Amino acid sequence: MRRWSLSTALGMAAIATALLVVSATAAQAAVRTYYIAADEVLWNFAPSGRDLVAGEALPPRKPLQLGWTYRKAIYREYTDASFRHLKARAPRDAYLGLLGPVIRAEVGDTIIVVFRNNTRLHLSVHAHGMKYDKASEGAPYRDETSHADKWDDAVPPGGGHTYTWTVPERSGPGPMDPSSIIWMYHSHTNETRDMDTGPIGPIIVTRRGMARPDGSPKDVDLEVIAMFAQMDESLSRMLQANLADPATNPQHVSGSSAKLQAANQFLTINGFDYGNLPMITMRKGQHVRWYVLGTMDDNDFHTPTWHGETVLYDGQRANTIMLGFMDMKVADMVPDNPGVWLFDCSQAVHLAAGMTARFTVLP
Ligand SMILES: [Cu+2]
């Protein structure tokens, strides 16, 4: 009798605890809504007009190079569904450059992207790592779906679509990952050429129970996102628009895409060349999390390299890590060495082509 009572009491306590856990989890799960438009902008890869790492003039324009400014389509965040007011990016986030807004979630959350296409091109929003159904995939291929499940794959100019992604355990950090990981979202209507056209952005997912209300990881002081990408303007879907516009083609360069290719490729970090990435600033002793991204480049890997400091990547000490195609990696740094330091790609050709930036560690 006594044993029966005890086990019953224990069983009821266990059920009550389980219910509490379930309700706490349900209470914490958030629906995070982002209003994101694809907008056309004039993008300058080196807005200072100089090589800020070498402290000298940019290399001379190649004969078939349009210039340093090109029309691109990029994702930008708005305050609401009217898409009338751009959501201002904090000055400290200027270094994010042409990356779209940072989408955040804690495991268990739901992400809603209300998308508006303000460009002349059919575009989409396709997420890596998230869980979605066919109406929120944003990628056209023979997937045996039709009608409503196709609209999201190529949203027409002036059109819009609402994408819904859930963030289950399998979208969040694995057992060997730190408290947060990074994914990408990008237009996948013309998968390879969209990469050169511009619309791409980051998604950060934090482990359940490890997120602040804004979704960022509690155990990190500063997060930095750096996308290493070759932007081939000869393959951009905006090429014809760029050729036709004196603002982007002041020398009236002309020729086929193949002829223009070598002169119009840029090796960029967040869309910046030759040290023009706005300075990233951190303090000695902070826990800094670096998220590094590769894209769908032709044939090149990238090797982000931190000078003057080291990182912990995959449980190993490093100052260089390898980025494959559409690779997304996380490296943690506790800077201990105040100064201005180089952050670049160690691939020699890329280094020579200005795939360089700097970061500052304050005492
Ligand atoms: Cu590289």
Side-chain angles (χ1 to χ4, degrees):
M1 186 66 186
R2 189 162 170 248
R3 187 179 295 160
W4 182 87
S5 303
L6 183 60
S7 65
T8 303
L10 286 173
M12 289 182 73
I15 289 167
T17 307
L19 284 172
L20 272 176
V21 168
V22 166
S23 63
T25 305
Q28 281 165 6
V31 176
R32 300 179 190 269
T33 302
Y34 295 85
Y35 302 94
I36 297 176
D39 290 332
E40 293 188 14
V41 298
L42 290 178
W43 183 259
N44 189 334
F45 290 108
S48 75
R50 290 181 61 77
D51 178 340
L52 295 179
V53 164
E56 58 191 36
L58 290 173
R61 188 183 66 86
K62 298 168 190 147
L64 288 179
Q65 180 182 346
L66 274 62
W68 293 93
T69 298
Y70 294 76
R71 186 173 300 276
K72 298 189 78 67
I74 65 173
Y75 292 131
R76 296 199 295 182
E77 187 171 13
Y78 285 77
T79 56
D80 58 60
S82 72
F83 286 96
R84 266 199 292 262
H85 306 288
L86 266 178
K87 195 163 179 177
R89 189 168 256 178
R92 63 181 281 171
D93 288 335
Y95 81 93
L96 291 170
L98 57 63
L99 285 179
V102 181
I103 293 177
R104 290 186 183 277
E106 181 177 2
V107 169
D109 291 349
T110 298
I111 296 167
I112 294 177
V113 172
V114 180
F115 174 61
R116 168 75 64 88
N117 183 3
N118 291 330
T119 74
R120 72 192 71 194
L121 309 168
H122 282 68
L123 295 172
S124 71
V125 186
H126 167 71
H128 286 233
M130 305 298 105
K131 190 172 182 189
Y132 42 72
D133 64 22
K134 286 293 179 183
S136 288
E137 184 179 21
Y141 58 96
R142 287 187 59 204
D143 60 1
E144 311 303 330
T145 67
S146 57
H147 307 296
D149 283 344
K150 285 292 180 196
W151 173 264
D152 59 298
D153 300 341
V155 177
H161 184 70
T162 298
Y163 296 84
T164 303
W165 310 323
T166 58
V167 188
E169 284 292 342
R170 61 86 153 159
S171 300
M176 303 287 280
D177 280 314
S179 58
S180 60
I181 57 171
I182 190 154
W183 300 98
M184 277 188 269
Y185 64 98
H186 59 89
S187 180
H188 195 306
T189 298
N190 182 333
E191 189 175 16
T192 56
R193 293 190 65 194
D194 285 357
M195 287 280 148
D196 293 305
T197 307
I200 189 162
I203 305 170
I204 294 174
V205 178
T206 302
R207 184 174 280 132
R208 199 194 292 272
M210 286 302 291
R212 298 187 183 98
D214 71 356
S216 64
K218 284 176 189 169
D219 59 340
V220 171
D221 299 313
L222 178 72
E223 295 167 280
V224 181
I225 306 165
M227 180 180 77
F228 286 69
Q230 173 184 279
M231 299 265 167
D232 190 334
E233 293 297 332
S234 76
L235 296 177
S236 165
R237 292 170 67 196
M238 293 284 185
L239 174 64
Q240 292 311 319
N242 280 321
L243 287 170
D245 185 352
T248 48
N249 189 10
Q251 314 292 328
H252 308 289
V253 168
S254 65
S256 64
S257 170
K259 238 182 181 163
L260 295 172
Q261 188 162 39
N264 293 281
Q265 290 176 330
F266 298 86
L267 274 302
T268 67
I269 304 174
N270 293 352
F272 294 106
D273 246 352
Y274 292 100
N276 278 263
L277 184 117
M279 186 68 80
I280 299 162
T281 303
M282 59 198 65
R283 289 191 175 280
K284 179 180 169 179
Q286 280 187 318
H287 181 180
V288 181
R289 178 154 295 160
W290 292 78
Y291 303 97
V292 285
L293 306 170
T295 62
M296 212 168 277
D297 288 3
D298 293 347
N299 47 20
D300 290 342
F301 288 74
H302 301 290
T303 52
T305 301
W306 295 268
H307 298 246
E309 308 285 350
T310 66
V311 296
L312 201 56
Y313 165 70
D314 202 16
Q316 298 162 64
R317 193 63 65 189
N319 83 326
T320 300
I321 63 178
M322 180 82 161
L323 276 182
F325 306 114
M326 298 307 287
D327 212 346
M328 310 169 212
K329 286 181 171 160
V330 184
D332 280 0
M333 172 189 286
V334 180
D336 64 353
N337 202 2
V340 176
W341 301 108
L342 190 59
F343 174 54
D344 61 3
C345 179
S346 289
Q347 213 270 42
V349 175
H350 299 182
L351 193 53
M355 202 170 219
T356 57
R358 294 175 302 160
F359 65 100
T360 296
V361 178
L362 299 172

